[in-house]
């Protein structure tokens, strides 16, 4: 637990309470709410885009913008999930289960406000986890030597691969591809050039912000451009009905919110497991313990709030593992690590020793962002519904132009822009052929850490140095089980279904 | 729409991908499985390429595990993953969520036109005024994507140009 009277704590809080930082927080909220509200624009894409222009800011201000976008997107994405049955970001998948049925029943207003309350409760719970767990976690990780650090990187990578929607081999290949990209430039130990092909700009390595923007920003837009035949817009539900929930409803929601907060906090601490999975797990847990199981999936406020509370509660844990271990909690945090490295902040066990005020800055930014976004979400804004009807073509133009200019602004380099364009073509190929981009980006960012620690460990005592370290062995075993267990579970399930003679429908005509 | 079907329906790009579910029966159509040979070839080809280029890495420092060790390890890994993909995706089948939306001719044309416009945009940054070239490219892209009417074709690009000029040129002082 942090000693709140210690000066780094107050320093961190005061750094956030500066007027200019507060303005950036408000800016981040506006961007985040819009990003969340537009289906097809994920928080990862928005943060990749924003990293282009935040890199010129002070670290606290830049972090304020990026973290606030992340927080606000978790509120904004509920709007299309409830009114359109389309999740604004993956975190709101569980919101559609009950949110849209509630909207169809004329309870859209209540669904939006209870969802916002649930999200705020989850977020505050997650922030508490961040405040409590981050420093002890980093203190524990300070004991890590090269074998443990290598195992930690492998653990982070495989966890991200393990949750890559069942595409484990392609996830591993994407991770290996990212690791290969990270070898371009100077060798981390000897300084010899590798894969530079005589191109001077590649001596410093592949510019990872450009790659991130290409993978998460332009590639997704290009895929929409080449596949959409016509603008097909579902009409959002516009009848809001009652807006604010009464005390009786709020009392009924206390239990599912509690289930969601606990589920999300635990899930959030596992690297690479995001709010989408946490929301679905909590929705299922709330259903099991509810007295009104029959309402779940047909319009249950309990299901709605359990999922939303859980998906936002992951944020605190995700930020904690990212900062304390240097292993991103999810793809958004992987992008954020890239920005932080440009600012000279290296997430990892030593982070809170070198930047003791950072933890209180992070907590303060997220708390202010949560409160302001909750207030904004409770305002009855008819304009939000209008936004859902905005055709995608305007978003495409904005995203493409922003990606180009944003990439250039990182280091005023046209080379970076062309790297981004090549990365977007590679990202498009990966999207079309089912390679997840998250592990590739993670490999690119964590590659030097993995390589240098593996080589140091091997030089010290060969492979024995890794397999005689209990921490490294445990991390590698968890990583291995994350890769092996999901397909095994699927295999067992398929055999069970086959033995029952169930004829499962294929989704493809 | 039930909860389950809602999860499964979000497989389009830019949307959440589906979680693996019991009902994710594999698609075993020949064309879908043959298509998976492209990722296989890419993995193996890229892995071989890494191994070939890794041999050209010359270290000036005599160390036990040189600069080529890690890339070579990754190259072999990629080849192994490519081979595994043959067993997992080509021989068994593809998950429905991994089948992308079909391409269409107009979409591919729009993609090519977009690529040309964006390359031209970058090359003209230092030739024309930033706000002017941004306005022209925004206008061309907006029209290309199907917008019609003066508000869409003129007012929107003008707004984009003004915002970008203020943000990047005036506030962030990016030399554009």
């Amino acid at each position: 637990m942090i000693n709140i009277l210690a000066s780094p704590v107050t320093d961190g809080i005061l750094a956030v309470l500066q007027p200019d930082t507060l303005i950036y927080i408000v800016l981040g909220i506006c961007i985040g709410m819009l990003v969340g509200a537009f289906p097809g624009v994920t928080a990862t894409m928005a943060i990749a885009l924003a990293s282009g222009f935040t890199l010129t800011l002070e670290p606290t201000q830049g972090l304020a913008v990026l973290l606030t976008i992340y927080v606000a997107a978790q509120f904004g994405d509920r709007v299309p999930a409830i009114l359109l049955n389309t999740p604004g970001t993956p975190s709101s998948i569980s919101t559609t289960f009950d949110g849209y049925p509630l909207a169809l029943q004329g309870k859209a207003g209540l669904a939006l406000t209870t969802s916002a309350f649930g999200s705020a409760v989850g977020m505050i719970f997650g922030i508490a986890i961040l405040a409590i767990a981050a420093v002890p976690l980093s203190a524990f990780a300070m004991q890590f030597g090269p074998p443990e650090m290598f195992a930690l990187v492998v653990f982070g990578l495989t966890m991200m691969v393990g949750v890559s929607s069942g595409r484990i081999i392609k996830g591993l290949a994407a991770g290996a591809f990212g690791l290969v990209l990270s070898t371009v430039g100077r060798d981390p130990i000897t300084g010899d050039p590798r894969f530079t092909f005589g191109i001077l700009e590649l001596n410093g390595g592949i510019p990872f912000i450009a790659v991130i923007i290409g993978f998460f920003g332009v590639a997704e837009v290009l895929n929409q451009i080449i596949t959409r035949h016509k603008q097909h817009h579902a009409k959002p539900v516009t009848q809001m009905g009652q807006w604010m929930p009464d005390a009786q409803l709020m009392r009924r929601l206390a239990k599912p919110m509690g289930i969601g907060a606990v589920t999300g906090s635990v899930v959030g601490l596992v690297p690479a497991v995001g709010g989408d999975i946490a929301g679905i797990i909590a929705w299922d847990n709330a259903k099991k313990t509810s007295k009104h199981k029959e309402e779940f999936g047909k319009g249950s406020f309990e299901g709605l709030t359990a999922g939303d509370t859980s998906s936002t509660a992951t944020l605190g844990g995700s930020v904690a593992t990212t900062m304390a271990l240097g292993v991103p909690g999810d793809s958004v945090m992987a992008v954020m690590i890239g920005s932080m490295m440009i600012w000279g902040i290296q997430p990892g066990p030593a982070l809170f020793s070198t930047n003791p005020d950072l933890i209180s800055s992070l907590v303060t930014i997220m708390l202010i962002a949560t409160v302001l976004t909750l207030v904004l979400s409770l305002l009855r804004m008819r304009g939000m519904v209008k936004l859902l009807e905005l055709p995608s073509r305007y978003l495409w133009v904005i995203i493409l132009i922003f990606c180009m200019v944003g990439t250039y602004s990182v280091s005023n380099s046209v080379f970076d822009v062309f790297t981004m364009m090549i990365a977007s073509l590679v990202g498009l190929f990966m999207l079309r052929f089912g390679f997840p981009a998250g592990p590739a980006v993670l490999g690119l960012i964590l590659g030097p850490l993995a390589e240098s620690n593996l080589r140091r460990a091997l030089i010290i005592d060969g492979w024995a140095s890794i397999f005689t370290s209990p921490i490294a062995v445990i991390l590698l075993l968890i990583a291995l089980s994350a890769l092996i267990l999901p397909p095994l579970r699927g295999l067992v399930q398929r055999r069970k279904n086959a033995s029952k003679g169930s004829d499962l429908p294929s989704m493809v005509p | 729409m039930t909860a389950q079907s809602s999860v499964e329906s979000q497989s389009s790009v830019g949307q959440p991908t589906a979680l693996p579910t019991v009902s994710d029966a594999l698609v075993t159509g020949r064309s879908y499985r043959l298509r998976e040979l492209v990722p296989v070839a890419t993995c193996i080809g890229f892995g071989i390429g890494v191994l070939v280029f890794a041999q050209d890495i010359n270290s000036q420092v005599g160390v036990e595990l040189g600069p080529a060790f890690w890339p070579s390890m990754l190259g072999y890994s990629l080849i192994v993953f490519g081979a595994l993909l043959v067993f997992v995706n080509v021989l068994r089948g593809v998950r429905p969520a991994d089948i992308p939306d079909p391409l269409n001719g107009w979409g591919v044309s729009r993609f090519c036109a977009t690529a040309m416009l964006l390359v031209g945009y970058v090359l003209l940054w230092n030739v024309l005024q930033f706000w002017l070239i941004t306005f022209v490219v925004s206008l061309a892209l907006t029209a290309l994507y199907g917008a019609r009417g003066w508000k869409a074709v003129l007012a929107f690009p003008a707004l984009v140009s003004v915002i970008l000029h203020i943000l990047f040129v005036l506030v962030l002082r990016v030399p554009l």
Side-chain angles (χ1 to χ4, degrees), chain A residues 147 174-175 185 320 327 359:
Chain A
V327 176
I359 183 76

Side-chain angles (χ1 to χ4, degrees), chain A residues 40 56 85 96-97 165 167 170 187 192 194 220 223 225-226 228 280 394 401 404 432 455 494 497, chain B residues 1 6-7 13-15 17 19 22 35-36 59-60 65 67 92 95 98 101 110 122 152 164 172:
Chain A
T56 50
N85 200 28
T96 58
F97 298 174
S165 309
R167 298 172 290 186
K170 285 185 179 173
D187 179 272
D192 294 303
R194 293 186 300 192
E220 301 228 2
N223 194 37
I225 287 173
I226 58 173
R228 279 198 193 171
I280 295 168
Y394 297 111
I401 302 276
M404 304 288 289
R432 302 290 306 169
R455 280 167 64 187
R494 272 198 295 275
N497 289 332
Chain B
M1 183 181 267
S6 177
V7 176
V13 174
Q15 301 293 318
T17 48
L19 289 170
V22 179
R35 187 179 175 276
E36 288 300 308
S59 178
Q60 306 299 318
L65 297 165
R92 281 178 59 230
R95 290 180 341 121
D98 290 345
D101 295 334
R110 277 194 312 201
V122 179
L164 283 175
L172 300 175

Side-chain angles (χ1 to χ4, degrees), chain B residues 15-91:
Chain B
Q15 301 293 318
T17 48
L19 289 170
T21 59
V22 179
S23 57
D24 269 349
L26 295 174
V27 179
T28 52
R30 196 175 172 191
S31 59
Y32 293 114
R33 288 191 294 132
L34 286 178
R35 187 179 175 276
E36 288 300 308
L37 287 173
V38 177
V40 169
T42 308
C43 280
I44 294 175
F46 191 70
I48 291 171
V50 170
L51 289 177
V52 169
F53 285 113
Q55 287 179 342
D56 294 338
I57 300 170
N58 298 311
S59 178
Q60 306 299 318
V61 189
V63 288
E64 198 179 333
L65 297 165
F69 164 73
W70 178 245
S72 303
M73 200 169 140
L74 295 172
Y76 286 119
S77 306
L78 278 164
I79 294 170
V80 171
F81 295 143
L84 285 173
L85 278 177
V86 175
F87 293 104
V88 175
N89 286 22
V90 180
L91 296 179

Side-chain angles (χ1 to χ4, degrees), chain A residues 128-143:
Chain A
I129 296 286
L130 168 67
I132 294 166
V135 175
L137 199 61
S138 72
F140 172 67
M142 283 289 272
Q143 304 164 20

